[in-house]
Amino acid sequence: MLLIEIPVALLLGLTLVIRGWGRADEQTGTPTMDWVPILWLGGFTLGVLVIAVVFLYSAHPFAGAVQLLITAIALIFTLAAWHEQYDRAHPSPLPTCPTRAGTPCASSNLVTDR
């Protein structure tokens, strides 16, 4: 099973990396949360968990324990992807400017300052 899971995990990681390459230039406002990496990683985690339960049920405790360890690692990656997407979609507010009372500080833009 590990010989099947390793290439699937590598392919999943490669597709998620390639998917996010062209996005830095097209950001215009606050981005929405991208659920695709979370769902892909969550599906992989759930699949590995099902395999672990099958191994444990069929009296293969060592193989089931290895699968549970892989499930825990995949769950950590899934939670990290969720946290990254949440932080990207919900940025912290800008601090208030001391020169302009109550308005957030922003980088000076020559087009809008005229």
Side-chain angles (χ1 to χ4, degrees):
M1 291 310 294
L2 284 176
L3 295 177
I4 294 171
E5 289 172 358
I6 291 172
V8 168
L10 290 175
L11 183 64
L12 176 65
L14 181 67
T15 57
L16 291 177
V17 166
I18 290 174
R19 185 176 179 274
W21 268 355
R23 295 206 175 158
D25 298 336
E26 54 190 54
Q27 302 286 334
T28 57
T30 304
T32 60
M33 203 159 160
D34 186 12
W35 287 96
V36 173
I38 300 163
L39 293 175
W40 278 73
L41 288 169
F44 178 76
T45 304
L46 186 62
V48 175
L49 179 64
V50 167
I51 292 170
V53 169
V54 167
F55 275 141
L56 290 173
Y57 185 71
S58 64
H60 296 290
F62 182 73
V66 169
Q67 293 296 318
L68 285 176
L69 180 64
I70 294 170
T71 302
I73 293 169
L75 182 62
I76 289 170
F77 278 108
T78 304
L79 291 174
W82 173 83
H83 185 62
E84 178 185 345
Q85 292 299 321
Y86 184 83
D87 282 347
R88 187 176 70 86
H90 301 92
S92 60
L94 294 172
T96 58
C97 259
T99 57
R100 292 179 263 168
T103 60
C105 285
S107 62
S108 62
N109 188 351
L110 295 176
V111 176
T112 59
D113 286 343
R114 290 184 186 171

